[in-house]
Coordinates of all heavy atoms in Angstrom, one line a residue:
I24 N 121.0 28.5 105.3 CA 121.3 29.2 106.5 C 122.3 28.6 107.4 O 122.4 27.3 107.4 CB 120.1 29.4 107.3 CG1 119.0 30.3 106.5 CG2 120.3 30.1 108.7 CD1 119.2 31.7 106.4
I25 N 123.2 29.2 108.0 CA 124.1 28.7 108.9 C 123.5 28.9 110.3 O 123.2 30.2 110.6 CB 125.5 29.2 108.8 CG1 126.2 28.9 107.4 CG2 126.4 28.8 109.9 CD1 127.5 29.6 107.2
Q26 N 123.3 27.9 111.0 CA 122.7 28.0 112.4 C 123.8 27.8 113.4 O 124.3 26.7 113.6 CB 121.7 26.9 112.5 CG 120.8 26.9 113.8 CD 119.6 25.9 113.6 OE1 118.5 26.5 113.5 NE2 119.8 24.7 113.6
Y27 N 124.0 28.8 114.2 CA 125.1 28.8 115.3 C 124.5 28.6 116.6 O 123.6 29.3 117.0 CB 125.9 30.1 115.2 CG 127.0 30.3 116.3 CD1 128.2 29.9 116.1 CD2 126.6 30.9 117.5 CE1 129.3 30.1 116.9 CE2 127.5 31.0 118.5 CZ 128.9 30.6 118.2 OH 129.9 30.8 119.1
F28 N 125.0 27.6 117.4 CA 124.4 27.4 118.6 C 125.2 28.1 119.8 O 126.5 27.8 119.9 CB 124.4 25.9 118.9 CG 123.5 24.9 118.1 CD1 123.8 24.8 116.8 CD2 122.3 24.6 118.7 CE1 122.8 24.0 116.1 CE2 121.4 23.8 118.0 CZ 121.6 23.6 116.5
K29 N 124.6 28.9 120.7 CA 125.1 29.6 121.6 C 125.1 28.8 122.9 O 124.3 27.9 123.1 CB 124.4 31.0 121.9 CG 124.4 31.8 120.6 CD 124.0 33.3 120.9 CE 122.6 33.4 121.4 NZ 122.0 34.7 121.6
D30 N 125.9 29.3 123.9 CA 125.9 28.8 125.3 C 125.0 29.4 126.2 O 124.7 29.1 127.2 CB 127.2 28.8 126.0 CG 128.2 27.9 125.5 OD1 127.8 27.0 124.7 OD2 129.4 28.1 125.7
D31 N 124.2 30.6 125.6 CA 123.3 31.3 126.4 C 122.1 30.4 126.8 O 121.6 29.6 126.0 CB 122.8 32.5 125.7 CG 123.9 33.6 125.3 OD1 125.0 33.3 125.6 OD2 123.6 34.6 124.9
A32 N 121.6 30.5 128.0 CA 120.4 30.0 128.4 C 119.4 30.9 129.0 O 119.7 31.9 129.7 CB 120.7 29.0 129.5
T33 N 118.1 30.7 128.6 CA 117.1 31.7 129.1 C 116.0 30.7 129.6 O 115.7 29.6 129.3 CB 116.6 32.5 128.1 OG1 115.9 31.8 127.1 CG2 117.7 33.5 127.5
A34 N 115.0 31.4 130.5 CA 113.9 30.7 131.0 C 112.8 31.8 131.4 O 113.2 32.8 131.6 CB 114.2 29.8 132.2
F35 N 111.6 31.3 131.4 CA 110.4 32.3 131.9 C 110.5 33.4 131.0 O 110.4 34.6 131.5 CB 110.6 32.6 133.3 CG 110.9 31.4 134.3 CD1 112.1 31.3 135.0 CD2 110.0 30.4 134.3 CE1 112.4 30.3 135.8 CE2 110.3 29.2 135.2 CZ 111.4 29.2 135.8
N36 N 110.4 33.1 129.7 CA 110.3 34.2 128.7 C 111.5 35.2 128.8 O 111.3 36.4 128.7 CB 109.0 34.9 128.7 CG 108.7 35.6 127.4 OD1 109.1 35.3 126.4 ND2 107.8 36.6 127.5
A37 N 112.8 34.7 128.9 CA 113.8 35.4 129.1 C 114.0 36.2 130.4 O 114.9 37.1 130.5 CB 114.2 36.2 127.8
E38 N 113.1 36.1 131.4 CA 113.3 36.8 132.6 C 114.5 36.2 133.4 O 115.1 36.9 134.2 CB 112.0 36.6 133.5 CG 110.7 37.3 132.9 CD 109.5 37.1 133.7 OE1 109.7 36.5 134.9 OE2 108.5 37.4 133.3
K39 N 114.9 35.1 133.2 CA 116.0 34.4 133.8 C 116.9 34.1 132.7 O 116.8 33.5 131.7 CB 115.7 33.1 134.6 CG 116.9 32.4 135.2 CD 116.5 31.2 136.1 CE 117.7 30.6 136.8 NZ 117.3 29.4 137.5
K40 N 118.2 34.6 132.9 CA 119.2 34.4 131.9 C 120.5 33.9 132.5 O 120.8 34.2 133.7 CB 119.5 35.8 131.2 CG 118.4 36.4 130.4 CD 118.7 37.7 129.8 CE 117.5 38.3 129.0 NZ 117.8 39.6 128.4
G41 N 121.3 33.2 131.7 CA 122.6 32.6 132.3 C 123.4 32.0 131.0 O 123.0 32.1 129.9
Q42 N 124.4 31.3 131.3 CA 125.1 30.6 130.4 C 125.4 29.1 130.9 O 125.6 28.9 132.1 CB 126.4 31.2 130.0 CG 126.3 32.4 129.1 CD 127.6 32.6 128.3 OE1 128.7 32.3 128.7 NE2 127.5 33.2 127.1
I43 N 125.3 28.2 130.0 CA 125.7 26.8 130.3 C 126.9 26.4 129.6 O 126.9 26.5 128.2 CB 124.6 25.8 130.0 CG1 123.2 26.2 130.7 CG2 124.9 24.4 130.4 CD1 122.0 25.5 130.4
A44 N 128.0 26.2 130.2 CA 129.3 26.1 129.5 C 129.2 24.7 128.6 O 128.9 23.7 128.8 CB 130.5 25.7 130.6
G45 N 129.6 25.0 127.3 CA 129.6 24.0 126.2 C 128.2 23.6 125.7 O 128.1 22.7 124.9
K46 N 127.2 24.3 126.2 CA 125.8 23.9 125.7 C 125.7 23.9 124.2 O 125.1 23.1 123.5 CB 124.8 24.8 126.4 CG 123.3 24.5 125.9 CD 122.3 25.3 126.8 CE 122.1 26.8 126.4 NZ 121.5 26.8 125.0
G47 N 126.2 25.0 123.6 CA 126.0 25.1 122.1 C 126.7 23.9 121.4 O 126.1 23.4 120.5
V48 N 127.8 23.5 121.8 CA 128.6 22.3 121.3 C 127.8 21.1 121.3 O 127.5 20.3 120.4 CB 129.9 22.1 121.9 CG1 130.6 20.9 121.4 CG2 130.9 23.4 121.6
L49 N 127.2 20.9 122.6 CA 126.5 19.6 122.9 C 125.1 19.7 122.1 O 124.8 18.7 121.4 CB 126.2 19.5 124.3 CG 127.5 19.3 125.1 CD1 127.2 19.4 126.6 CD2 128.1 17.9 124.9

Side-chain angles (χ1 to χ4, degrees):
I24 295 288
I25 294 173
Q26 187 166 253
Y27 175 93
F28 289 76
K29 303 192 294 184
D30 285 347
D31 295 8
T33 63
F35 313 119
N36 201 25
E38 291 180 10
K39 180 177 183 178
K40 298 179 181 180
Q42 284 209 328
I43 302 172
K46 177 175 78 73
V48 175
L49 295 166

